[in-house]
Every structure is written in C-alpha cells, then in structure tokens.
Amino acid sequence: MTGTPGPNNMMLTASGANFGYLRTLPHILGICCGLGLLIMAIAAGLGVIFQQFPLVQTALKWASSIYLLYLAWRIASAPPPTLQNREANRPMNWFEAAGFQFINPKAWVMSIAAVGTFSLSEDNYWLSAWSIALIFMFAAFPCISFWTGFGTLIGKVMKTSLQWRWFNIFMGVATASCLLFIWN
C-alpha cells in the first residue's frame, strides 16, 4: 500500500528530483513515523470518530484537499534547482511530513484497513496494533525510498530549465490529481 502512487510518493519524487535523496531523508522518515503514529491513534479509537461524526470526515476531506492543492501549487511553481536556490529552498521536514499523514486520506484508508484487518482481539490487541504500526513503518521506508530515488535519478537526467519547469508542473498536477481518490 505504501508503494503505490499517492500524495506522499508524488511529493517524494518531486523532492528527490529537486533536492536529492539525502536532503529528502527527513521527509521520508517523517512519513514513516507519522504513519506509525496514525495507525496507533486509529487503534486507540480515533477512527471511530468518523463513524460517530461523519461531518468530521467531510471536514478532513476539505482540509486535506486544500492543503494538497497548496502543496501541488508549490511543487508546480517551484523554480528549477540551481546552486543559488537549491540551498535556499528546502524539502518538507520531519514534523511536516509526519503531520501530513493525519490529513492524508490515503494514509487514513491504509491505516483503518490495516487495523481493522490485522489487529487481534482482547489480550493481544495492543501487541498486534504495535506490530502493525512497526511493520508499516519498516515496509514504508524502502517503498517510499524507491520513489525518492526515482526522483533523484530524474533530477540527474534533466539539464535545462525548461525540462525542470515541465517536470515540476507535471509533478504538481500529479499531486493535485490525488484529489480524485479523495472525492471518489
């Protein structure tokens, strides 16, 4: 689930291309940890809020849509990396990436499905919840690193400002297209 296209992987591909793997590593680690925290929050009952208060789910959809459009715009309008602006601009940091998981609809769907499908009952519930969170965190790392590495390779191939401009626009549109999954 963490290896399929979605908001995180689109942003990581763009970040890898623009900043390289090492500078994107805090973003990667933030996603992994944020996903683990979200799984544990759902295991503790946060997912029940959607059942009790459907308006909260609608509000989350709107908030995540607005933030995703903002991120897509930032990606699409990013200038081509140069020696001057590569250091001035920065990839998403650990806290931003971890926090994004709590408004990322794909992360919610994955986490609710994982807890609902794989958690055990009664005395084994919390051990299974921790196991699910750790497995997802460790499985996510190589999957999302692949997307970052893919972006890093793309960044090495592109030579002109025009190529960068089109790449950033494409990645911004790809990120915005994740809204189709939110509203379907």
Side-chain angles (χ1 to χ4, degrees):
M1 286 191 248
T2 59
T4 59
N8 283 325
N9 293 332
M10 294 301 105
M11 291 187 296
L12 286 170
T13 301
S15 185
N18 283 283
F19 303 109
Y21 184 85
L22 288 178
R23 286 191 65 201
T24 304
L25 194 55
H27 186 168
I28 294 169
L29 295 173
I31 290 170
C32 294
C33 293
L35 183 59
L37 290 170
L38 180 60
I39 288 170
M40 290 309 297
I42 288 169
L46 189 58
V48 175
I49 291 174
F50 288 161
Q51 293 173 334
Q52 296 293 322
F53 306 101
L55 187 61
V56 172
Q57 185 176 13
T58 302
L60 178 66
K61 281 184 175 185
W62 279 105
S64 62
S65 296
I66 291 167
Y67 189 61
L68 200 56
L69 285 173
Y70 165 73
L71 292 173
W73 174 254
R74 280 190 54 202
I75 292 168
S77 64
T82 64
L83 292 178
Q84 292 82 17
N85 74 6
R86 190 169 271 213
E87 292 303 318
N89 293 331
R90 65 169 181 81
M92 191 178 272
N93 67 37
W94 187 95
F95 291 103
E96 293 166 333
F100 179 70
Q101 302 322 296
F102 285 84
I103 63 166
N104 179 352
K106 183 182 173 193
W108 275 89
V109 169
M110 279 189 334
S111 299
I112 290 170
V115 171
T117 303
F118 300 115
S119 62
L120 303 174
S121 59
E122 299 176 17
D123 292 342
N124 295 319
Y125 179 74
W126 285 108
L127 178 62
S128 67
W130 278 104
S131 298
I132 293 165
L134 289 172
I135 289 168
F136 265 80
M137 290 169 63
F138 287 113
F141 185 83
C143 293
I144 62 180
S145 287
F146 171 82
W147 287 91
T148 309
F150 177 62
T152 302
L153 288 174
I154 290 171
K156 292 179 187 290
V157 171
M158 291 188 295
K159 303 293 181 204
T160 68
S161 292
L162 183 62
Q163 289 172 327
W164 275 104
R165 187 80 201 112
W166 281 109
F167 172 76
N168 285 340
I169 289 170
F170 176 79
M171 292 310 298
V173 170
T175 300
S177 73
C178 294
L179 291 174
L180 297 173
F181 300 111
I182 295 171
W183 292 100
N184 281 337

